[in-house]
Amino acid sequence: MNPFASNIRRALGVKAGDFERLEMVRKHLDDHGRNLIPACALRCHQELIDQFIQMLENVETTVAHVNDLVDVASEIARYQIVNDLPHVVKCGADALIADIDWSEQSDLTILSGPATGADAISLTRAFAGASETGTLFVASGPDNPVTLSFLPETNIILIRARDIVGCYEDAWLKLPWGARGPQMPRTVNLISGPSRTADIEQTLITGAHGPRRLHVIIVG
Amino acid sequence: MKSTARSFKENARQALKNQRLQKSLKVMGRGFVEKRAKARAALPEFDALCQQGQAIKTHTLEHLDLYLEVYEKQLAASGGHLHLAQTAQQACQQILQICRNSNARLVTKGKSMVAEEIGLNEHLEEAGLRVVETDLGEYIIQLRKEPPSHIVAPAVHVGADQVEADFRRVHQNLPPNRNLSDPAALVFEARNMLRHEFINADIGITGANFLVAQTGTSVIVTNEGNGDLTQSLAPVHIVIASIDKLVPTLNDASTLIRVLARSATGQSITTYTTFSTGPRRPQDLDGPQQYHVVLLDNGRTEQLAGDFSDALRCIRCGACMNHCPVYQSIGGHAYGWVYPGPIGAVLNPSFLGLEETADLPNASTLCGRCEEVCPMGIKLPDLMRKWREKHHAAGGPPAMVRTSLTAWAFVAKRPWLYQLLTGMMMPLLAKFAGRKHHFRWLPLASGWTTSRDLPAPSGKTFMSLLKKHQREGRL
Ligand code: SF4
């Protein structure tokens, strides 16, 4: 018996096992009800993608939209050359990333595993993107170790166009679901731009403790 | 932290005289206010979302016992450990015990107001642990040995030149002639200094903006990524959170997230919003091996039953202080304890008692801006008024204030007397003010007139003007 719960019941003047209250809570948890969804999240898919890109660009993020997975390796190489970055990426075991054909990029080194302080560039994959605020949803696990999203100076995130949805609520639906709700990995990271701070005299500085650069590649 | 709320009036006087602070407050100026207004204008549903957010919070608080039980079950199912702390002292001891169990020496910390509330750093440091704040603002004030002065921007009172001086003083191993003249260089230096602390930490402590009952999840919202490095690199992640952080579902959390950043910094969402559930999974390659949640009551259950339960809806966005004319002119430290501004004036008396904090609910002009911008619809002026009433009922204000108020009430309740007296006073006061029609100083009111001029009356009362105009047939 949780002593906090009984104290709260005493304070609220209610009894344990009050059927109506239990039903109310059970219903609230079980219908997976949604609250108000902003209209900007309820557009057609093409508009959602455009808005997704716009929102990310508003927060100092670069976005490339390629037609096919075969174009990803050359896009990464292009991004590294333009930004004068080392030709290396570190990634996890994600199936989509595993399908990238690197054969044309012979001078690009692909490392795998979680990030260490020495890794300059990471490649991760978002399982969903919410267009309303240009937010990428990344699930931690062997496919996308969580440190890859935070330790390297540059983070490249891959997302399939069809995984871009309107609102956060739709993004949650992309996780595997059980009876009570989504089966949560250790962390789900909602990422909207490179790290930033305004802690010194309210001056916005891009690049705080997390990545200083974020590049998003939309596939399809 | 030790409260200085008792000397609020003196604190405020000092703050008004402190030119450095006044400069920083000016820099802060209307920034937050304008950014919030812009964010609100960009989302037509903003007000409606706030109302839904309030309903979610009210529903949760009314069923807090049940959601807490669901949360506890889900947390356990994901492999997390729950520790219930009735008091600040208990919470500190529980956290210290977890640190001892893993022979910890270095603790990294993300920003947490609840950790400030329980005085966690002092407790851990006294026990011999090294505690490193990793949020840039918190890092700066830790170096300066100061408490935060704002719940969202803890170092808002510090100027860039002061940060530079602190970094030169503390980062002794770096070349003394390095250039730190712009904020970006300061941020970069802090980033480099904190890197190995993250990697070498034995324990990572974060707060929580929300706890989700449905999934047993804790949520933090940040911009810097320090919270994520804190909780992903250390082998043990401890969350310190109070019971009012509970929400039922991920969808409910999503609604609140839509209004939190917009109210706080004017961002549509913070750069990082992180949902953490349990420790690393067996097949995971990184993340903490242990996940502990220390759940704090510290008087909140009692508050749930009393006059101030609405304040438990607070999501700590800081909008009320950003829009408060009193906060804008004295900053956060003058309030003397963890929570500044209007929400502090409402919360601190419940934590510290009215005797210590009686001045805080009076530190307001009751202008109503805070209530207007509070996304959780908390009627802050009403709650402050309630504290004033309680204080008065307990024989609170000093004799002079009581006598003058009683005298004023006697006069105000008798319109004929009121008009007679004010009619006599007006020409006198007008003369006293001189040609500028402003008082620079008034007997018995220097507390008001030192930081602002008081406009002088025109020489006639409203009632006498009304009668005159009626006579002349102008109305
Ligand atoms: S009282 Fe309202 S405005 Fe103030 S911090 Fe809390 S939620 Fe924000």
Side-chain angles (χ1 to χ4, degrees):
Chain A
M1 190 69 174
N2 183 322
F4 275 22
S6 18
N7 291 346
I8 292 167
R9 278 194 269 275
R10 206 168 312 123
L12 291 172
V14 295
K15 294 231 151 24
D18 176 331
F19 182 71
E20 247 169 65
R21 296 178 78 244
L22 282 165
E23 265 307 280
M24 184 117 174
V25 164
R26 192 195 56 76
K27 259 193 79 201
H28 190 98
L29 291 171
D30 288 354
D31 11 296
H32 307 303
R34 293 169 168 220
N35 308 301
L36 177 66
I37 307 295
C40 67
L42 301 169
R43 299 178 170 161
C44 74
H45 195 236
Q46 187 52 52
E47 283 173 352
L48 289 179
I49 292 180
D50 294 344
Q51 177 177 251
F52 182 72
I53 295 171
Q54 187 57 56
M55 293 304 277
L56 277 166
E57 286 176 349
N58 288 349
V59 287
E60 291 80 38
T61 303
T62 49
V63 184
H65 193 163
V66 301
N67 286 327
D68 200 277
L69 200 62
V70 297
D71 306 319
V72 169
S74 57
E75 168 54 26
I76 290 174
R78 182 202 64 81
Y79 178 77
Q80 291 175 332
I81 292 166
V82 171
N83 292 285
D84 206 9
L85 297 169
H87 295 200
V88 57
V89 289
K90 193 165 211 181
C91 52
D94 188 272
L96 187 69
I97 293 174
D99 277 347
I100 298 173
D101 177 6
W102 301 102
S103 57
E104 305 260 301
Q105 309 300 330
S106 48
D107 67 337
L108 215 159
T109 312
I110 316 293
L111 305 169
S112 78
T116 67
D119 292 312
I121 305 173
S122 60
L123 175 63
T124 54
R125 183 256 182 108
F127 69 84
S131 164
E132 59 173 301
T133 47
T135 299
L136 295 133
F137 283 57
V138 182
S140 71
D143 289 356
N144 293 284
V146 63
T147 46
L148 290 177
S149 296
F150 294 97
L151 265 179
E153 284 218 348
T154 303
N155 180 208
I156 301 172
I157 305 183
L158 203 59
I159 182 169
R160 293 185 305 193
R162 73 172 110 124
D163 291 329
I164 296 173
V165 295
C167 56
Y168 309 138
E169 287 80 350
D170 283 337
W172 291 121
L173 291 177
K174 298 257 175 193
L175 282 173
W177 272 55
R180 255 287 149 82
Q183 281 158 15
M184 300 292 276
R186 151 66 192 167
T187 55
V188 177
N189 296 107
L190 277 56
I191 302 177
S192 316
S195 71
R196 53 153 76 190
T197 182
D199 270 352
I200 300 178
E201 292 193 348
Q202 305 265 292
T203 315
L204 179 66
I205 310 284
T206 304
H209 295 293
R212 310 177 76 199
R213 244 176 259 101
L214 178 65
H215 186 56
V216 174
I217 303 176
I218 303 171
V219 187
Chain B
M1 102 184 231
K2 211 180 143 355
S3 160
T4 63
R6 195 180 285 268
S7 49
F8 172 78
K9 284 188 190 139
E10 183 51 32
N11 300 350
R13 245 191 300 278
Q14 295 301 332
L16 288 166
K17 274 199 281 188
N18 182 338
Q19 309 234 322
R20 280 238 51 123
L21 174 67
Q22 291 301 322
K23 199 176 136 214
S24 296
L25 289 170
K26 215 180 212 154
V27 173
M28 173 180 130
R30 300 196 49 77
F32 280 128
V33 173
E34 277 156 16
K35 284 182 208 147
R36 173 193 168 272
K38 241 172 130 182
R40 174 169 177 255
L43 185 69
E45 296 86 354
F46 181 79
D47 291 345
L49 285 164
C50 289
Q51 276 162 22
Q52 290 204 336
Q54 293 161 30
I56 292 167
K57 279 284 193 173
T58 303
H59 167 82
T60 316
L61 291 168
E62 282 168 357
H63 302 88
L64 193 59
D65 52 326
L66 300 176
Y67 284 116
L68 180 60
E69 285 169 340
V70 175
Y71 172 75
E72 183 180 20
K73 219 173 103 203
Q74 296 298 88
L75 175 67
S78 68
H81 301 279
L82 183 65
H83 309 259
L84 299 176
Q86 198 74 58
T87 63
Q89 186 64 22
Q90 275 172 14
C92 284
Q93 280 162 0
Q94 286 165 352
I95 292 172
L96 179 60
Q97 195 52 51
I98 300 167
C99 294
R100 290 216 166 113
N101 290 348
S102 54
N103 294 319
R105 276 190 305 216
L106 174 60
V107 176
T108 47
K109 253 188 87 218
K111 196 174 121 39
S112 155
M113 288 312 294
V114 172
E116 299 285 345
E117 177 186 320
I118 63 173
L120 180 60
N121 287 11
E122 294 89 324
H123 191 87
L124 296 181
E125 279 164 0
E126 272 164 30
L129 287 152
R130 196 158 78 80
V131 182
V132 180
E133 292 286 352
T134 62
D135 170 85
L136 181 59
E138 291 282 346
Y139 179 66
I140 291 167
I141 58 171
Q142 189 182 34
L143 297 184
R144 301 173 62 78
K145 301 196 178 14
E146 285 176 355
S149 70
H150 189 286
I151 61 173
V152 173
V156 72
H157 61 284
V158 188
D161 55 324
Q162 292 171 293
V163 179
E164 177 179 353
D166 291 323
F167 279 15
R168 288 194 191 285
R169 170 172 60 81
V170 180
H171 303 161
Q172 291 275 346
N173 55 340
L174 297 175
N177 57 354
R178 66 198 188 279
N179 185 2
L180 288 179
S181 57
D182 78 307
L186 295 167
V187 173
F188 193 56
E189 181 161 312
R191 175 190 168 99
N192 288 338
M193 293 304 293
L194 284 166
R195 284 263 124 173
H196 21 275
E197 311 283 22
F198 286 125
I199 291 172
N200 295 324
D202 303 303
I203 306 271
I205 301 179
T206 68
N209 293 83
F210 307 105
L211 300 173
V212 184
Q214 174 192 28
T215 49
T217 300
S218 60
V219 185
I220 55 170
V221 306
T222 68
N223 282 313
E224 297 180 3
N226 66 300
D228 290 283
L229 290 167
T230 298
Q231 66 162 54
S232 305
L233 289 168
V236 178
H237 176 199
I238 305 176
V239 175
I240 168 76
S242 52
I243 54 172
D244 50 313
K245 297 293 192 292
L246 268 164
V247 296
T249 64
L250 290 172
N251 285 353
D252 293 328
S254 302
T255 297
L256 289 162
I257 284 164
R258 287 195 181 97
V259 301
L260 175 55
R262 288 181 170 98
S263 298
T265 56
Q267 292 169 277
S268 54
I269 187 169
T270 47
T271 304
Y272 302 114
T273 304
T274 300
F275 290 70
S276 307
T277 315
R280 72 155 75 168
R281 306 296 186 256
Q283 63 293 9
D284 284 2
L285 307 169
D286 55 10
Q289 278 132 18
Q290 292 174 36
Y291 174 68
H292 298 266
V293 177
V294 175
L295 194 62
L296 177 73
D297 187 312
N298 208 19
R300 285 169 174 83
T301 295
E302 207 180 308
Q303 204 180 338
L304 199 56
D307 285 343
F308 300 93
S309 58
D310 283 357
L312 290 169
R313 288 203 300 266
C314 174
I315 53 173
R316 306 284 190 265
C317 71
C320 55
M321 57 200 75
N322 294 339
H323 291 76
C324 173
V326 177
Y327 180 95
Q328 282 167 355
S329 46
I330 61 173
H333 286 162
Y335 291 81
W337 201 60
V338 175
Y339 300 105
I343 186 63
V346 169
L347 291 179
N348 297 352
S350 357
F351 286 118
L352 305 170
L354 249 185
E355 204 192 317
E356 175 70 26
T357 56
D359 282 338
L360 299 185
N362 290 305
S364 158
T365 58
L366 301 184
C367 71
R369 285 292 280 145
C370 50
E371 176 179 345
E372 218 176 286
V373 298
C374 174
M376 291 299 104
I378 301 170
K379 295 191 164 35
L380 294 154
D382 277 3
L383 297 180
M384 282 186 250
R385 223 174 274 125
K386 272 189 198 164
W387 279 124
R388 291 181 187 189
E389 280 162 18
K390 276 187 198 291
H391 188 222
H392 197 85
M400 197 181 86
V401 178
R402 289 167 74 89
T403 331
S404 358
L405 282 178
T406 318
W408 182 82
F410 179 82
V411 176
K413 276 191 225 143
R414 293 162 180 80
W416 59 272
L417 180 60
Y418 188 86
Q419 282 180 39
L420 180 76
L421 285 174
T422 49
M424 279 161 58
M425 286 300 285
M426 284 305 115
L428 251 178
L429 283 171
K431 207 169 232 162
F432 194 26
R435 241 182 300 155
K436 286 219 176 107
H437 302 291
H438 270 87
F439 296 114
R440 314 226 67 215
W441 177 82
L442 259 186
L444 304 179
S446 65
W448 180 274
T449 52
T450 40
S451 56
R452 36 203 157 354
D453 291 352
L454 187 66
S458 68
K460 300 218 163 45
T461 65
F462 171 73
M463 290 307 283
S464 70
L465 281 175
L466 181 68
K467 277 192 196 130
K468 181 162 172 267
H469 283 213
Q470 277 170 339
R471 266 201 314 276
E472 291 167 1
R474 279 203 263 160
L475 279 172

CSV table of all heavy atoms in Angstrom, one decimal, chain A residues 132-155:
chain,number,residue,atom,x,y,z
A,132,GLU,N,4.0,19.7,-36.7
A,132,GLU,CA,3.5,20.9,-36.0
A,132,GLU,C,4.7,21.8,-35.5
A,132,GLU,O,4.6,23.0,-35.5
A,132,GLU,CB,2.5,20.6,-34.9
A,132,GLU,CG,3.0,19.8,-33.8
A,132,GLU,CD,2.0,19.7,-32.6
A,132,GLU,OE1,1.7,20.7,-32.1
A,132,GLU,OE2,1.6,18.5,-32.3
A,133,THR,N,5.8,21.2,-35.0
A,133,THR,CA,6.9,21.9,-34.5
A,133,THR,C,8.2,21.5,-35.2
A,133,THR,O,9.3,21.9,-34.7
A,133,THR,CB,7.0,21.8,-33.0
A,133,THR,OG1,6.9,20.5,-32.6
A,133,THR,CG2,5.9,22.6,-32.3
A,134,GLY,N,8.2,20.6,-36.2
A,134,GLY,CA,9.5,20.2,-36.8
A,134,GLY,C,10.2,19.3,-35.8
A,134,GLY,O,11.4,19.6,-35.5
A,135,THR,N,9.6,18.3,-35.2
A,135,THR,CA,10.2,17.6,-34.1
A,135,THR,C,10.4,16.1,-34.5
A,135,THR,O,9.5,15.5,-35.0
A,135,THR,CB,9.3,17.6,-32.8
A,135,THR,OG1,9.1,19.0,-32.4
A,135,THR,CG2,9.8,16.8,-31.7
A,136,LEU,N,11.7,15.7,-34.3
A,136,LEU,CA,12.0,14.3,-34.6
A,136,LEU,C,11.9,13.4,-33.4
A,136,LEU,O,12.4,13.8,-32.3
A,136,LEU,CB,13.5,14.3,-35.2
A,136,LEU,CG,13.6,15.0,-36.5
A,136,LEU,CD1,14.8,15.9,-36.5
A,136,LEU,CD2,13.6,14.0,-37.7
A,137,PHE,N,11.3,12.2,-33.5
A,137,PHE,CA,11.2,11.3,-32.4
A,137,PHE,C,12.2,10.2,-32.6
A,137,PHE,O,12.1,9.5,-33.6
A,137,PHE,CB,9.8,10.7,-32.4
A,137,PHE,CG,8.7,11.6,-31.8
A,137,PHE,CD1,8.5,12.8,-32.4
A,137,PHE,CD2,7.9,11.2,-30.8
A,137,PHE,CE1,7.5,13.7,-31.9
A,137,PHE,CE2,6.9,12.0,-30.3
A,137,PHE,CZ,6.7,13.2,-30.8
A,138,VAL,N,13.2,10.1,-31.7
A,138,VAL,CA,14.2,9.0,-31.8
A,138,VAL,C,14.1,8.1,-30.6
A,138,VAL,O,14.1,8.6,-29.5
A,138,VAL,CB,15.6,9.7,-31.9
A,138,VAL,CG1,16.7,8.6,-32.1
A,138,VAL,CG2,15.7,10.7,-33.1
A,139,ALA,N,14.0,6.8,-30.9
A,139,ALA,CA,13.9,5.8,-29.8
A,139,ALA,C,15.3,5.2,-29.5
A,139,ALA,O,16.0,4.8,-30.4
A,139,ALA,CB,13.0,4.7,-30.2
A,140,SER,N,15.7,5.2,-28.2
A,140,SER,CA,17.0,4.6,-27.9
A,140,SER,C,16.9,3.1,-28.0
A,140,SER,O,15.9,2.5,-27.9
A,140,SER,CB,17.4,5.0,-26.4
A,140,SER,OG,16.5,4.4,-25.5
A,141,GLY,N,18.1,2.5,-28.1
A,141,GLY,CA,18.2,1.0,-28.2
A,141,GLY,C,19.4,0.7,-29.0
A,141,GLY,O,20.1,1.6,-29.4
A,142,PRO,N,19.6,-0.6,-29.2
A,142,PRO,CA,20.8,-1.0,-30.0
A,142,PRO,C,20.7,-0.4,-31.5
A,142,PRO,O,21.8,-0.1,-32.1
A,142,PRO,CB,20.7,-2.5,-30.1
A,142,PRO,CG,19.4,-2.9,-29.5
A,142,PRO,CD,18.9,-1.8,-28.8
A,143,ASP,N,19.5,-0.1,-32.0
A,143,ASP,CA,19.4,0.4,-33.3
A,143,ASP,C,19.9,1.9,-33.3
A,143,ASP,O,20.5,2.3,-34.3
A,143,ASP,CB,18.0,0.4,-33.8
A,143,ASP,CG,17.5,-1.0,-34.1
A,143,ASP,OD1,18.3,-1.9,-34.0
A,143,ASP,OD2,16.3,-1.2,-34.4
A,144,ASN,N,19.6,2.6,-32.3
A,144,ASN,CA,20.0,4.0,-32.2
A,144,ASN,C,20.4,4.4,-30.8
A,144,ASN,O,19.7,4.9,-30.0
A,144,ASN,CB,18.9,4.9,-32.7
A,144,ASN,CG,18.6,4.8,-34.1
A,144,ASN,OD1,19.3,5.3,-35.0
A,144,ASN,ND2,17.5,4.0,-34.4
A,145,PRO,N,21.7,4.0,-30.4
A,145,PRO,CA,22.1,4.3,-29.0
A,145,PRO,C,21.9,5.7,-28.7
A,145,PRO,O,22.2,6.6,-29.5
A,145,PRO,CB,23.6,3.9,-29.0
A,145,PRO,CG,23.7,2.9,-30.1
A,145,PRO,CD,22.7,3.3,-31.2
A,146,VAL,N,21.4,6.0,-27.5
A,146,VAL,CA,21.0,7.4,-27.1
A,146,VAL,C,22.2,8.3,-27.1
A,146,VAL,O,22.0,9.5,-27.5
A,146,VAL,CB,20.3,7.4,-25.7
A,146,VAL,CG1,21.2,6.9,-24.6
A,146,VAL,CG2,19.7,8.7,-25.4
A,147,THR,N,23.4,7.9,-26.8
A,147,THR,CA,24.5,8.8,-26.8
A,147,THR,C,24.8,9.4,-28.2
A,147,THR,O,25.4,10.5,-28.3
A,147,THR,CB,25.8,8.1,-26.2
A,147,THR,OG1,25.9,6.8,-26.9
A,147,THR,CG2,25.7,7.9,-24.7
A,148,LEU,N,24.5,8.7,-29.2
A,148,LEU,CA,24.7,9.2,-30.6
A,148,LEU,C,24.0,10.5,-30.8
A,148,LEU,O,24.4,11.3,-31.6
A,148,LEU,CB,24.3,8.2,-31.6
A,148,LEU,CG,25.1,6.9,-31.8
A,148,LEU,CD1,24.5,6.0,-32.8
A,148,LEU,CD2,26.5,7.2,-32.2
A,149,SER,N,22.8,10.7,-30.1
A,149,SER,CA,22.1,11.9,-30.3
A,149,SER,C,22.6,13.1,-29.6
A,149,SER,O,22.2,14.2,-29.8
A,149,SER,CB,20.6,11.7,-29.8
A,149,SER,OG,20.0,10.7,-30.6
A,150,PHE,N,23.6,12.9,-28.6
A,150,PHE,CA,24.0,14.0,-27.8
A,150,PHE,C,25.5,14.3,-27.7
A,150,PHE,O,25.9,15.4,-27.5
A,150,PHE,CB,23.5,13.8,-26.3
A,150,PHE,CG,22.0,13.8,-26.3
A,150,PHE,CD1,21.2,12.7,-26.4
A,150,PHE,CD2,21.3,15.1,-26.3
A,150,PHE,CE1,19.8,12.8,-26.4
A,150,PHE,CE2,20.0,15.2,-26.3
A,150,PHE,CZ,19.2,14.0,-26.4
A,151,LEU,N,26.3,13.2,-27.9
A,151,LEU,CA,27.8,13.5,-27.7
A,151,LEU,C,28.5,14.1,-28.9
A,151,LEU,O,29.3,15.0,-28.7
A,151,LEU,CB,28.5,12.2,-27.3
A,151,LEU,CG,28.7,12.0,-25.7
A,151,LEU,CD1,29.4,10.6,-25.5
A,151,LEU,CD2,29.5,13.1,-25.1
A,152,PRO,N,28.3,13.6,-30.1
A,152,PRO,CA,29.0,14.1,-31.2
A,152,PRO,C,28.7,15.6,-31.5
A,152,PRO,O,27.5,16.0,-31.3
A,152,PRO,CB,28.6,13.2,-32.4
A,152,PRO,CG,28.1,12.0,-31.7
A,152,PRO,CD,27.4,12.4,-30.5
A,153,GLU,N,29.6,16.3,-32.2
A,153,GLU,CA,29.3,17.7,-32.5
A,153,GLU,C,28.3,17.8,-33.6
A,153,GLU,O,27.6,18.9,-33.7
A,153,GLU,CB,30.6,18.4,-33.0
A,153,GLU,CG,31.6,18.7,-31.9
A,153,GLU,CD,32.3,20.0,-32.1
A,153,GLU,OE1,32.3,20.5,-33.2
A,153,GLU,OE2,33.0,20.5,-31.1
A,154,THR,N,28.3,16.8,-34.5
A,154,THR,CA,27.3,16.9,-35.6
A,154,THR,C,26.4,15.7,-35.5
A,154,THR,O,26.9,14.5,-35.4
A,154,THR,CB,28.0,16.9,-36.9
A,154,THR,OG1,28.9,18.0,-36.9
A,154,THR,CG2,27.1,17.0,-38.1
A,155,ASN,N,25.1,15.9,-35.7
A,155,ASN,CA,24.2,14.8,-35.7
A,155,ASN,C,23.4,14.8,-37.0
A,155,ASN,O,22.8,15.9,-37.4
A,155,ASN,CB,23.2,14.9,-34.5
A,155,ASN,CG,22.2,13.8,-34.4
A,155,ASN,OD1,21.1,14.0,-33.8
A,155,ASN,ND2,22.5,12.6,-34.9
